[in-house]
Amino acid sequence: MTLDPHDLTHEFPAEADKIHALKADNAHFQKLAQRYEELNKEVVQIEEGVHAADDLHLETLKKERLQLKDQIAALLAA
């Protein structure tokens, strides 16, 4: 099964330079991006079967990742 990449550079390919700059200059953005990447890694590992989790836990992680993505998108648009 091939999974779609959800890392920030795939989610916002046109904003790669801005993501890099915000990670370097904006502590709040850096925390959001770090948490997003941690969640994304955990979701991918569950989906690939590396770690076990029930469906409710996986959905909770995905919802948190989506909320972070929305916050990141707002900062990128600002």
Side-chain angles (χ1 to χ4, degrees):
M1 178 169 140
T2 309
L3 302 174
D4 291 332
H6 288 279
D7 58 79
L8 291 176
T9 55
H10 282 92
E11 292 294 325
F12 305 102
E15 303 290 348
D17 291 338
K18 194 169 186 179
I19 289 169
H20 181 73
L22 285 169
K23 280 183 178 180
D25 298 333
N26 185 314
H28 178 64
F29 185 89
Q30 186 179 42
K31 287 179 185 178
L32 292 175
Q34 181 178 358
R35 180 64 183 146
Y36 180 90
E37 296 296 342
E38 290 168 357
L39 280 171
N40 189 53
K41 181 179 178 180
E42 188 172 355
V43 167
V44 168
Q45 288 177 339
I46 292 168
E47 290 178 335
E48 290 178 343
V50 175
H51 295 293
D54 61 33
D55 290 341
L56 179 60
H57 181 65
L58 179 59
E59 288 306 310
T60 301
L61 294 175
K62 287 181 174 182
K63 286 178 183 178
E64 184 180 350
R65 180 178 68 179
L66 183 59
Q67 289 173 342
L68 287 169
K69 181 181 169 188
D70 289 344
Q71 292 177 43
I72 289 167
L75 288 171
L76 290 171

